[in-house]
Amino acid sequence: MKNMHAELLEGAYDLHVHTGPDIPERKLDDLDLAERYIKLGMKGFGIKSHYFCTAERARLVKKIHPAINPIGAVSLNNPIGGINPLAVEMAARDGAKIVWMPTFDALNEIEFLSNKTKEDELPPWAKVQLELREQGKMGKGISILKDGKLTEDALTVLEIISDYNLILATGHLGRKEIFALVTAAKKMKLKRVVITHPTFSSVNLSKEEQKELAELGAYMDHCFGVITPNYGIDWDGLYEQIKYVGPKHCILSSDLGQVENPYPDEGMITFVSNLAENGFSRHEIKNMTKENTSFLVEA
């Protein structure tokens, strides 16, 4: 039987999913997720790989499932050359829509992981990073700042994002980098700026900082997959942050696809159900699931 709150996902995009094929094993592949989201009446999903551009995967999914809009993306980690303007240019020409700043290779994330071991509870990408570290294959941490200012390559990437009307997402950058990036994006009049899971343990932005970023024009990407005290926040804490910043400045994503976690559609249904049962109106939830995500993808 269809969940009574599932209609809150009709016409929505999930802009942060980890489907296969990928380096870590995934719970489902792109085609599996397309079928599941079509059944929910969702409009599309953003395919995130920490390692490679997913634009070509998205195009193949669209050919097989024209009823849904899969979104290609690129993450600016070491496997594609870090803050690599040419990689962003080619991704855009290939149809990618989302550009994530460094995630696991962000200097901020590497410093956060420096005292972690395989015995700790870690996401799949972090386990790969620790394995590479043990083998001496781990690349240098990437920062978008030099002497406190955005690097030339980072500024060039912003120009390409502007030229192709792409979505800029902050990845796992640190607080200082995020504010510098969003400030520059505002000066360049970029309208599609997303703060990637602001509550995640290595990012850890306060509700006051999130509101300040929202006032600069950014959207907070609240992810189901990181709503756990181990990753930085519990449900009550999340409700408080969304109410403080305002639903009109937030989007909801699953950040799911990990083998041990629920399916992305299950996570999204739980997400909207919990919000609906804890003080959020239908209008506020649709604002986060459908309206804001549609603006980011389609406007």
Side-chain angles (χ1 to χ4, degrees):
M1 189 175 78
K2 194 171 182 179
N3 180 282
M4 63 180 293
H5 298 299
E7 61 90 16
L8 294 168
L9 293 168
E10 291 176 3
Y13 286 89
D14 176 0
L15 294 181
H16 191 152
V17 297
H18 293 283
T19 41
D22 203 357
I23 299 295
E25 183 182 357
R26 295 302 184 188
K27 197 174 185 84
L28 73 175
D29 64 28
D30 303 330
L31 298 175
D32 296 329
L33 184 59
E35 292 172 0
R36 298 176 79 100
Y37 274 169
I38 288 170
K39 288 180 182 177
L40 276 180
M42 289 182 65
K43 215 167 190 180
F45 57 96
I47 306 171
K48 184 173 185 180
S49 168
H50 293 288
Y51 309 93
F52 309 111
C53 179
T54 63
E56 291 168 355
R57 286 165 55 183
R59 286 162 57 190
L60 284 171
V61 175
K62 183 67 174 176
K63 181 176 181 179
I64 296 169
H65 292 292
I68 200 159
N69 188 20
I71 308 298
V74 64
S75 298
L76 303 186
N77 290 314
N78 284 321
I80 60 99
I83 311 299
N84 182 351
L86 185 57
V88 177
E89 175 76 25
M90 292 299 102
R93 293 188 183 204
D94 204 16
K97 183 68 178 179
I98 305 171
V99 178
W100 268 286
M101 284 289 148
T103 57
F104 59 60
D105 279 328
L107 181 61
N108 174 66
E109 186 62 67
I110 287 177
E111 290 176 346
F112 184 82
L113 281 177
S114 61
N115 61 349
K116 301 290 184 181
T117 68
K118 288 183 178 178
E119 284 66 47
D120 293 310
E121 184 180 344
L122 297 169
W125 57 262
K127 294 176 182 177
V128 174
Q129 286 293 84
L130 293 183
E131 181 180 331
L132 291 173
R133 187 172 72 187
E134 289 177 357
Q135 296 173 355
K137 298 176 181 177
M138 192 169 174
K140 293 182 178 179
I142 302 169
S143 175
I144 62 169
L145 298 179
K146 184 176 181 180
D147 300 325
K149 297 181 180 180
L150 289 180
T151 65
E152 287 299 318
D153 281 344
L155 289 169
T156 302
V157 165
L158 292 185
E159 291 171 0
I160 297 168
I161 288 171
S162 177
D163 290 342
Y164 287 93
N165 197 27
L166 306 180
I167 300 168
L168 167 65
T170 56
H172 296 202
L173 296 178
R175 183 177 288 106
K176 187 176 179 181
E177 293 172 297
I178 290 172
F179 272 90
L181 186 68
V182 175
T183 299
K186 182 175 177 62
K187 288 180 180 178
M188 296 175 67
K189 299 182 179 180
L190 300 186
K191 302 296 185 184
R192 293 159 186 80
V193 180
V194 173
I195 309 301
T196 310
H197 43 48
T199 65
F200 187 55
S201 46
S202 64
V203 179
N204 194 27
L205 297 172
S206 69
K207 63 182 182 181
E208 291 82 10
E209 289 167 332
Q210 291 178 46
K211 190 164 189 174
E212 186 177 348
L213 290 163
E215 289 169 351
L216 289 170
Y219 292 86
M220 304 304 116
D221 180 15
H222 288 295
C223 297
F224 180 88
V226 303
I227 308 170
T228 162
N230 185 61
Y231 288 162
I233 201 166
D234 58 17
W235 283 101
D236 288 337
L238 181 70
Y239 303 148
E240 178 186 355
Q241 292 198 5
I242 293 177
K243 288 175 182 176
Y244 184 83
V245 176
K248 67 180 181 179
H249 300 297
C250 299
I251 65 173
L252 307 181
S253 301
S254 69
D255 196 5
L256 294 177
Q258 303 83 5
V259 173
E260 70 277 8
N261 281 338
Y263 286 98
D265 53 311
E266 295 172 343
M268 290 298 286
I269 290 171
T270 300
F271 209 159
V272 296
S273 298
N274 285 0
L275 290 169
E277 294 164 9
N278 285 276
F280 290 87
S281 70
R282 180 185 182 280
H283 172 74
E284 289 174 326
I285 297 170
K286 291 291 279 188
N287 199 189
M288 294 185 281
T289 59
K290 179 182 177 182
E291 293 169 22
N292 291 343
T293 60
S294 294
F295 166 76
L296 288 168
V297 173
E298 299 171 1

